[in-house]
Amino acid sequence: MATQKYLAGRLGSAALTLLAATATMALAARQRRSEQARLHERRLELEELAIRRKALAHQQRMQWELLVRAIDDPSLAAVIDTYDKSIPAERRRQFFYANAWYVHLYHVHRAGSLDREELYRHLREFFQSPVFREYWEASRHMRATLNEASLEAQLGLMVDGLVRDLDEADTDEWWVVGNPPTD
């Protein structure tokens, strides 16, 4: 009888060990499947991001090509020229060029190559140009149509603040004017 109890105890202990090992292996397999699913999902996200970046780069190239054509050919510029017609044609062409620089900086920021503070510093330099300031004022009506929650509208408000700071500054050291935002 003692031998049967001993044998039953050993078999029960072996069965519990086998059950625990099986449960551990099942848990490990479930964790591996979960990790593989997470990695697959992350891979898909990265592929989607790469596709979006490629599409954005293509869009930027197309916008630049179209803008260059408008700058080079006044008859094509008339298609997109919404500036006040009392502004001389040469100045409006300069506005297209200023817009090209602003859009370039916007896209470089959007792509993550410039943080908001760096963008601010570049724009602070651009706004030393009277033509760039005129462009900014002449394009106010265009910015007024933007969705207020959009990045483009938010950056426009940031630039409006920068221009105000530059106008109100009592120093010739423009490079220290304003408080660059932090991301």
Side-chain angles (χ1 to χ4, degrees), residues 134-173:
E134 282 181 53
Y135 147 73
W136 192 253
E137 184 57 37
S139 63
R140 181 174 301 283
H141 67 282
M142 296 173 203
R143 291 188 308 282
T145 64
L146 297 173
N147 177 338
E148 291 177 12
S150 71
L151 174 63
E152 192 173 358
Q154 292 169 6
L155 291 179
L157 291 173
M158 178 191 79
V159 173
D160 288 341
L162 168 61
V163 171
R164 247 186 334 275
D165 289 347
L166 288 167
D167 287 343
E168 295 170 359
D170 59 355
T171 181
D172 291 334
E173 297 176 344

Side-chain angles (χ1 to χ4, degrees), residues 118-136:
E118 292 166 318
L119 174 65
Y120 185 90
R121 288 183 176 142
H122 283 286
L123 289 169
R124 184 168 48 197
E125 183 175 349
F126 273 88
F127 277 95
Q128 298 313 299
S129 162
V131 175
F132 207 87
R133 283 176 174 246
E134 282 181 53
Y135 147 73
W136 192 253

